[in-house]
Amino acid sequence: MATEPGPTVPAVGPLVVLGAGYAGLTVAEEFRRRTKGSVPIVVVDRHPVHVLRTQLYEVGRLAEAGTDLGRWLVPLDRAFDRSGVTFREGTVESIDLAAHVVRVNGADLPFGMLAVCLGNVAAYYGVPGAAEHAHSVYRLTGAQRLAQAVVEVERNSTALPGEQRPRLVVIGGGSTGTEVAAELATTDWARIVGGEVRPPDVVLVTGSLPFLAGLPARLIEHARVTLRAAGVAVVPGVNVARVEPHRVELVDGTAFACAASVWCAGLEAPPVVKALPVPHGRGGRLATGPTLELPDHPGVFAVGDVIEFKDPKTGLLVPSTAQAALSEARSAARNLAARARGEPLTHYEYREHGVIVALGVRKGAGSIRGIGLWGSPARLVKQLVERDYSRAVREGDSPGLL
């Protein structure tokens, strides 16, 4: 494993971790374990809960759950119970790398070392109406609103003229858009609504990028077949030009009238990250060095969806997935501990264990170490991994399957 020298960082102030998502929680826990509590740790997040964002495509379950959201939330006071980590609820307003100060809710928070794990926000690429009129599942509140909207659409579906079915348009052909489209198409809305409904007509607009770009070819083909069997109409190769309250228009002039639309077409770094005077990649993501440290800022690391990191072995960008975020977080925590001790830093190496895409109720497609996994076994493995992670966070443990 490649290493590079690591001068000791002055121990003035704590390690401050910005963000309590998959990356932030893992950095804090792994750093605490490696330093045995000798360095104070402060985790900052604007919410008092950790959201299991990889499960927010479960629109049907969210519709059934109503206000009972325990499946998707872990209270941070429980996650940090007995760990010695301090949680501070607040919004990160600015980061002064030179002064080693973070501004949180109008107050200064000094740091000795810093881990930027602030995740991402929806990128709308200047498409008129997209932010205003399309739903999103990148946040729990957005996924809840989508679930409630679909329930209302289905409740009124039998009043549509003739045999017309309500149309739902999902925009974005990555894993999020694919999972949302499949879930919308295969959920038993009649059971959830409690009466007769007309199942939604789901359209997936994949845009100009290839469908499920970067995933294994066999997985992609299986996903196409499964979506087709579920009744999802896939529209490839054309970007969205405009989104209106009940209409999605494509750049080639095609337009879809719809009851609702969902934007799953891309992500970018939050504004506070884009404002940092350091090298950036696409979407304002932070361009880190090989150790995940920001260039010319010893002791400042960035992890997870907020970074752009190119795998030196493949030349490809490491994907913005929970699996990658956890892997990066463990490496960053190891290097943060090394910085504090004046030891050499190690280069981050990404090793993907596999990938699984949910394709509707009880179905999925995956590739685990090059072995294809289809149908209900794929969905079961995905659920086992998600449950293992959820259990680990709730118990202050490390996940065994990620």
Side-chain angles (χ1 to χ4, degrees):
M1 182 179 291
T3 63
E4 55 187 62
T8 303
V9 173
V12 179
L15 165 65
V16 171
V17 180
L18 303 182
Y22 293 89
L25 283 189
T26 305
V27 167
E29 176 58 30
E30 184 70 11
F31 180 82
R32 181 199 63 78
R33 186 183 68 81
R34 288 181 172 275
T35 58
K36 296 180 170 53
S38 61
V39 179
I41 305 169
V42 179
V43 175
V44 180
D45 198 280
R46 58 179 178 168
H47 299 298
V49 292
H50 172 64
V51 179
L52 303 174
R53 286 182 65 184
T54 59
Q55 297 170 232
L56 295 184
Y57 66 88
E58 298 176 329
V59 182
R61 284 184 180 270
L62 281 163
E64 288 185 280
T67 58
D68 182 11
L69 302 175
R71 175 183 174 85
W72 299 274
L73 298 176
V74 180
L76 289 174
D77 57 357
R78 179 172 178 177
F80 295 136
D81 186 33
R82 298 186 302 275
S83 72
V85 174
T86 300
F87 172 64
R88 179 163 172 175
E89 185 175 351
T91 299
V92 177
E93 297 166 346
S94 64
I95 304 168
D96 189 331
L97 297 177
H100 274 218
V101 170
V102 177
R103 190 80 170 167
V104 180
N105 284 4
D108 287 345
L109 174 62
F111 63 84
M113 295 186 292
L114 182 69
V116 182
C117 311
L118 289 170
N120 47 35
V121 296
Y124 295 103
Y125 309 112
V127 174
E132 295 81 6
H133 304 307
H135 291 276
S136 170
V137 296
Y138 294 132
R139 297 287 184 269
L140 178 58
T141 52
Q144 281 183 285
R145 284 194 293 269
L146 171 62
Q148 293 161 3
V150 176
V151 166
E152 196 61 27
V153 165
E154 286 299 299
R155 186 174 285 128
N156 298 320
S157 61
T158 56
L160 292 171
E163 299 298 316
Q164 183 179 334
R165 294 160 54 192
R167 178 180 290 140
L168 305 174
V169 177
V170 180
I171 303 161
S175 58
T176 301
T178 300
E179 291 182 331
V180 169
E183 201 77 7
L184 290 171
T186 60
T187 293
D188 186 352
W189 294 107
R191 181 178 59 80
I192 293 173
V193 170
E196 184 181 353
V197 302
R198 294 181 188 174
D201 173 21
V202 180
V203 176
L204 176 60
V205 179
T206 66
S208 59
L209 292 177
F211 175 58
L212 291 176
L215 298 187
R218 288 183 63 205
L219 186 157
I220 295 171
E221 183 55 32
H222 191 85
R224 290 186 194 277
V225 171
T226 306
L227 288 177
R228 191 181 306 122
V232 176
V234 178
V235 180
V238 187
N239 287 333
V240 171
R242 179 182 301 276
V243 179
E244 297 174 0
H246 297 290
R247 185 173 180 271
V248 174
E249 181 181 333
L250 309 186
V251 294
D252 66 358
T254 304
F256 294 97
C258 60
S261 60
V262 192
W263 187 269
C264 307
L267 297 161
E268 62 185 9
V272 69
V273 171
K274 288 185 174 182
L276 289 174
V278 296
H280 292 266
R282 296 182 303 178
R285 294 177 180 84
L286 297 173
T288 68
T291 63
L292 301 179
E293 194 170 49
L294 295 187
D296 302 320
H297 293 282
V300 178
F301 290 75
V303 186
D305 293 346
V306 78
I307 74 170
E308 180 175 277
F309 186 88
K310 183 175 289 187
D311 188 335
K313 292 182 179 178
T314 65
L316 300 175
L317 295 178
V318 171
S320 295
T321 63
Q323 179 182 171
L326 296 182
S327 170
E328 292 162 6
R330 295 180 187 116
S331 181
R334 182 170 59 248
N335 281 335
L336 280 160
R339 270 288 184 217
R341 293 191 291 260
E343 298 172 354
L345 309 188
T346 57
H347 288 191
Y348 171 61
E349 296 180 3
Y350 176 61
R351 295 185 180 91
E352 184 171 273
H353 301 296
V355 60
I356 297 178
V357 178
L359 294 172
V361 178
R362 294 184 293 278
K363 291 187 178 180
S367 176
I368 309 296
R369 302 188 188 277
I371 300 173
L373 196 62
W374 321 118
S376 56
R379 185 63 182 262
L380 178 60
V381 171
K382 182 177 177 69
Q383 290 173 338
L384 288 174
V385 171
E386 291 169 344
R387 288 171 187 168
D388 175 66
Y389 174 80
S390 176
R391 174 206 58 78
V393 172
R394 294 175 197 278
E395 298 177 3
D397 195 6
S398 297
L401 299 178
L402 269 177

